[in-house]
Amino acid sequence: MSHQVRLRARLLRDLSIFAAVALLWAWIAMPWLSGEVTIPYDAKAHFQAQIQFLANALHRGDSPFWTPNVFGGSPQIADPQSLIFSPAILLALFDAAPSFRAMDAYVLSLLLFGAFAVVQFGRERGWHPAAQAVAALVLAFGASASWRLQHIGQVRSLAFFAVALWLLSRALRHGSWRSGLVAGLAAGLMVATPDQIALLGVYVLSAYALWHLLRDGAPLVALRRVWPALATGAVAGIAVVAGPLLLAYLFSQVSNRAEIDFAEAARGSLHPAFLLTAFIGDLFGAADPKVEFWGPSSSAWAPNSLTLSQNMGQVYVGALPLIAVIAFALRGWKAMEAEARFMLAALGAMVVYALGSFTPLFALLFDWAPGVDMFRRPADATFMIGALMAFLSGFALDALLARPDWRGDRLRLAATGLAVVAIGAIAALVAAGIGQSAARPILIGLGWCALAVGLIAAASRFGGALAHPGRALAVALALGLVAGADLKANNGPNESTALPPKHYAVMEPDTDNDTIGYLKAALARGHREPARRDRVELLGTEFHWPNLGMIHNFDHAFGYNPLHLAEFSEATGARDHMGQAKDRTFTPMFPSYRSTFADLLGLRYIVSAVPIEQVDRSLKPGDLQLKARTRDGFIYENHAALPRAMFVENWKLADFEQLREKGFPSDFDPRAAILLESAPDDPPLVAGHAGQGSAPLVRLASYANTEVVVEVDSPRPGFVLLNDVWHPWWTASVDGREVELLKANALFRAVAVPAGRSRVTFAFRPLEGAIAELREKMLGEEEEWPRVTAMIR
């Protein structure tokens, strides 16, 4: 056979593997791709709202860097989950109303992207085609990659980790600066929207590079060969992440999650019993709606000791890869390739990390490892467990199928089978110990494992030799089909990852929901008043309602986001999510819907699933007016809600911390004076003095996400008060002249204006603001700088 013919045959084989992986991916993903089901929970309640907000902003020529639609205003550009620095922004750019199916396809395409990287990784090492195909499917649908589809940011980090690892390995193997450049870009995209998967990915990639330098015992020689690749990659990665990471860091420091204590993080640990799901896919009934979930984070175990949802502890990657890896490991450490040993060690490290407080090591990591104390759930490492199992299973299957001294290895396959039976017995004892029956899932799990043992033994005899490409390809298709069927059956659509799209009809931009229709019409009537832009509160509605304002372009007083401004949270009692009426708590500053703060916030309409008196027992008859009763709840109106923009003549000094602790003074009139912590640089009027003349006129000339223009005409000097959340990256100007932006009434924005006509412009300038804030931290808080540099690294 000529060299050209061999090249064509190899190309055909490689293309066949990519095509097979793509077809198997489409087969498993088809329920989502067809629109039959959609990815639920966070994928809709949070990320669908984020992508629609992006689309709304971009298609009307607005900036998406700040949103007024939730939490009184929030810096989207600094929010790691805003999707601004992710490929998803392309959906928003080209589609004014990204559909559920389009968003689901984006998420699943990320997994296919990562799977192709695994194929490339194996192809460059000469893996058996079956090893390439099965490993790719594990990356795409193993462990949390399938069970936690709704956590879209973490899925993105997982996919780019696989790509970055492949490209880094290529750069190190060849010493190529070009490969290093692309590897750095991939790693940068992994980290650009930082989460715990990205952090762990950085640790694994760094360890892999260090291992490569040390493995031959001549690190200086290795470094001289690969330093151009490493340096180019580092520069490229830093160029991608420096801006987003700095913004995210500064936001986190003034957020409700500026610090996460060890106890909170520990509650997100992976209970060791969850490791049983590596062998028995749905041991605890997480996927079966007919079975009440009884895993370690449920009430069947120690209640409230863990804060994991039922899908967060699932680590099943399929029987074929699991059996292969166990049989591979039984040959001993020295029998493995060096790279496979690294993968096995990294997998062990990720398992230990995921176990969190169930091992003493996590406490040390939390205190000493950079970045660990910024995240609350070590069980997120289940994503990395799946990824490393993908690469390791490729090495294992290649050895068992193609290496003559390993092929078949019946003895170790039989030992592996016995080990799995023993695990099944342990699972049965665990179930019986808390009064549960797990016979069905255990038998199903053992059945898949028995099939895997038989298939590996048979495949190694029939098509293991790469000298017979036709047979090898046939084995790849057969094992890929079985592995795909296994993952589809055990990790496929379930109540955690797939619900009917109609459940989220209210999130469609053109929804006919009567509650949303009423609010839009009522808010539009209110906006006819020149200075008014009312807010609403959605209380006790369904889980996916709090961010509806980002879709339908109205301002919700709260929202759904694990990261929001701490001052707003302290003042209002805002939580990550307040979907249920029982979650609604009041504060000294916001003690009731009939309060000064509610009026200042412009809280005009409240939608409550229960009568409002059951939520706010201080309300008196007539405080709020019932306006409508819809299928979703009661709609109330607060007629005392104040306009978004106001002219206020006087100012008074106040201690904002005391305001948050005790509330506004009983004699405080927000129409007469604003409260400031210190005297303004250029006070327009002596505090307490009242002017004479005609009433001032205030008009919201324009209101965009990152620029608000207020026109005022007053016979007296005073202040323009904008009842939007104050943030240091906002600036203000009066008639084109930059002026001091005051924080008024503990939370809002104000600007001093002279008598007469003035045009006040509030502009959000995040890059300038972040640089100024960073400079201030460097000069004024030297102890902060090491943490900043650690974050940038």
Side-chain angles (χ1 to χ4, degrees):
M1 183 183 294
S2 69
H3 178 66
Q4 189 174 12
V5 172
R6 284 196 300 271
L7 284 178
R8 280 202 297 265
R10 182 175 179 180
L11 177 62
L12 179 61
R13 186 187 68 183
D14 292 343
L15 291 176
S16 298
I17 294 302
F18 280 108
V21 169
L23 288 171
L24 290 168
W25 166 86
W27 177 48
I28 299 172
M30 188 52 66
W32 293 281
L33 297 176
S34 68
E36 175 188 350
V37 296
T38 192
I39 306 172
Y41 303 116
D42 281 19
K44 293 296 172 289
H46 187 59
F47 291 104
Q48 188 72 33
Q50 298 288 345
I51 196 70
Q52 186 59 61
F53 172 79
L54 274 174
N56 289 343
L58 294 174
H59 285 269
R60 66 171 179 252
D62 204 349
S63 167
F65 291 172
W66 177 275
T67 176
N69 302 137
V70 291
F71 296 112
S74 187
Q76 287 288 97
I77 192 173
D79 186 346
Q81 299 189 85
S82 69
L83 302 179
I84 290 175
F85 296 110
S86 81
I89 196 171
L90 296 175
L91 276 179
L93 186 62
F94 293 109
D95 189 347
S99 67
F100 299 162
R101 186 190 298 188
M103 193 62 174
D104 293 350
Y106 160 74
V107 177
L108 292 159
S109 295
L110 287 172
L111 295 174
L112 180 62
F113 184 50
F116 281 166
V118 175
V119 173
Q120 276 292 95
F121 183 93
R123 190 181 71 81
E124 292 175 2
R125 285 154 181 76
W127 283 358
H128 191 284
Q132 297 177 39
V134 172
L137 290 175
V138 173
L139 188 287
F141 298 106
S144 287
S146 59
W147 279 95
R148 296 176 63 181
L149 276 173
Q150 65 267 41
H151 296 153
I152 292 174
Q154 294 179 320
V155 171
R156 181 202 50 77
S157 294
L158 172 74
F160 278 106
F161 165 75
V163 175
L165 181 57
W166 158 52
L167 291 170
L168 176 62
S169 73
R170 184 183 181 89
L172 293 172
R173 281 158 63 94
H174 301 293
S176 165
W177 70 266
R178 293 179 180 84
S179 293
L181 173 67
V182 185
L185 293 175
L189 290 170
M190 177 186 73
V191 179
T193 55
D195 53 38
Q196 192 158 206
I197 311 309
L199 172 71
L200 295 175
V202 168
Y203 275 117
V204 173
L205 293 172
S206 302
Y208 183 85
L210 182 62
W211 164 80
H212 187 90
L213 294 175
L214 298 177
R215 67 174 182 170
D216 294 328
L220 293 180
V221 174
L223 183 60
R224 281 196 294 270
R225 188 176 69 85
V226 303
W227 78 262
L230 292 176
T232 306
V235 171
I238 291 172
V240 171
V241 306
L245 208 57
L246 173 61
L247 293 167
Y249 166 75
L250 293 175
F251 182 27
S252 73
Q253 294 306 289
V254 294
S255 77
N256 58 316
R257 296 193 181 279
E259 293 184 0
I260 294 176
D261 61 27
F262 178 77
E264 182 181 359
R267 285 193 292 273
S269 300
L270 185 76
H271 193 285
F274 272 123
L275 296 178
L276 293 170
T277 64
F279 300 84
I280 302 156
D282 195 24
L283 174 63
F284 301 115
D288 190 346
K290 297 189 293 295
V291 176
E292 185 176 354
F293 176 71
W294 57 275
S297 56
S298 72
S299 58
W301 295 66
N304 302 320
S305 61
L306 297 176
T307 55
L308 301 181
S309 300
Q310 66 186 47
N311 62 321
M312 289 182 176
Q314 304 296 121
V315 293
Y316 189 73
V317 297
L320 266 171
L322 178 69
I323 294 297
V325 167
I326 295 175
F328 185 63
L330 288 176
R331 286 294 293 256
W333 184 259
K334 292 184 178 180
M336 302 179 192
E337 300 100 315
E339 207 168 19
R341 290 199 293 268
F342 172 83
M343 297 295 179
L344 185 59
L347 174 64
M350 288 302 106
V351 170
V352 172
Y353 185 94
L355 293 174
S357 61
F358 291 103
T359 77
L361 184 60
F362 184 69
L364 296 174
L365 292 173
F366 192 83
D367 288 336
W368 297 103
V372 172
D373 63 345
M374 300 187 71
F375 299 99
R376 58 186 171 133
R377 195 167 46 226
D380 285 351
T382 50
F383 277 97
M384 296 300 295
I385 289 172
L388 291 166
M389 274 295 291
F391 287 99
L392 189 57
S393 66
F395 284 107
L397 274 171
D398 177 63
L400 291 168
L401 294 177
R403 284 173 53 174
D405 56 329
W406 286 66
R407 200 179 299 161
D409 205 338
R410 295 181 180 179
L411 178 62
R412 285 170 181 80
L413 284 173
T416 299
L418 291 175
V420 171
V421 171
I423 294 294
I426 292 172
L429 290 174
V430 168
I434 56 174
Q436 297 288 335
S437 173
R440 185 174 182 275
I442 290 173
L443 290 175
I444 291 174
L446 293 178
W448 281 108
C449 288
L451 178 61
V453 170
L455 280 174
I456 293 173
S460 65
R461 294 173 63 86
F462 172 75
L466 294 177
H468 301 285
R471 287 188 175 186
L473 188 57
V475 167
L477 295 174
L479 293 191
L481 186 61
V482 171
D486 183 359
L487 290 168
K488 185 177 177 68
N490 289 289
N491 285 7
N494 59 67
E495 60 181 338
S496 293
T497 61
L499 289 177
K502 65 180 181 181
H503 185 69
Y504 296 102
V506 71
M507 303 192 77
E508 299 280 4
D510 59 352
T511 182
D512 61 356
N513 179 273
D514 55 350
T515 303
I516 299 302
Y518 181 94
L519 290 176
K520 283 184 173 181
L523 291 169
R525 289 193 298 271
H527 292 176
R528 294 172 191 162
E529 299 181 32
R532 185 172 291 282
R533 182 181 168 100
D534 295 319
R535 286 190 171 93
V536 306
E537 181 178 336
L538 306 173
L539 177 65
T541 47
E542 294 191 67
F543 179 79
H544 53 280
W545 276 60
N547 280 349
L548 286 183
M550 301 182 77
I551 295 174
H552 299 297
N553 196 30
F554 61 76
D555 296 347
H556 184 199
F558 298 107
Y560 174 37
N561 197 325
L563 202 66
H564 48 272
L565 294 170
E567 288 186 338
F568 185 83
S569 183
E570 292 169 9
T572 65
R575 302 182 184 181
D576 297 359
H577 185 283
M578 291 200 298
Q580 299 185 50
K582 65 182 180 62
D583 295 333
R584 183 62 164 96
T585 57
F586 293 98
T587 65
M589 197 167 170
F590 191 175
S592 168
Y593 291 118
R594 180 64 260 117
S595 65
T596 298
F597 187 86
D599 297 343
L600 270 172
L601 196 61
L603 183 56
R604 188 68 175 265
Y605 298 100
I606 299 131
V607 179
S608 176
V610 299
I612 200 67
E613 295 80 8
Q614 295 181 22
V615 180
D616 184 354
R617 300 187 183 279
S618 68
L619 289 174
K620 300 180 180 62
D623 282 348
L624 299 178
Q625 183 180 356
L626 178 64
K627 301 296 292 185
R629 175 75 167 94
T630 68
R631 289 170 295 177
D632 306 299
F634 305 86
I635 302 179
Y636 298 89
E637 183 174 9
N638 171 26
H639 286 287
L642 293 170
R644 184 68 58 93
M646 303 168 58
F647 177 85
V648 180
E649 189 171 338
N650 293 327
W651 62 274
K652 296 180 180 179
L653 289 175
D655 183 335
F656 286 177
E657 187 63 34
Q658 192 173 53
L659 286 182
R660 285 189 284 269
E661 291 178 359
K662 297 183 179 180
F664 288 113
S666 58
D667 60 349
F668 172 58
D669 182 358
R671 300 170 189 81
I674 61 171
L675 303 179
L676 303 174
E677 274 196 304
S678 60
D681 292 341
D682 187 18
L685 201 67
V686 176
H689 176 74
Q692 303 295 324
S694 60
L697 301 176
V698 182
R699 185 173 76 92
L700 274 173
S702 67
Y703 193 103
N705 291 335
T706 58
E707 185 178 271
V708 180
V709 178
V710 181
E711 294 178 345
V712 60
D713 186 358
S714 172
R716 302 174 298 279
F719 300 88
V720 167
L721 173 65
L722 183 68
N723 289 316
D724 281 339
V725 167
W726 182 93
H727 188 277
W729 301 347
W730 279 91
T731 64
S733 62
V734 176
D735 297 327
R737 178 177 58 87
E738 191 160 327
V739 297
E740 180 185 13
L741 179 64
L742 305 168
K743 183 189 289 187
N745 301 335
L747 204 63
F748 303 114
R749 307 174 208 158
V751 168
V753 293
R757 292 184 178 181
S758 297
R759 184 178 176 88
V760 181
T761 301
F762 299 88
F764 185 60
R765 296 176 180 165
L767 297 182
E768 294 177 25
I771 292 170
E773 195 173 341
L774 180 62
R775 186 186 301 118
E776 182 180 341
K777 284 182 177 292
M778 293 171 60
L779 298 176
E781 299 181 35
E782 292 183 1
E783 69 275 9
E784 284 289 325
W785 181 238
R787 187 176 177 88
V788 175
T789 55
M791 282 291 295
I792 293 174
R793 286 198 301 268

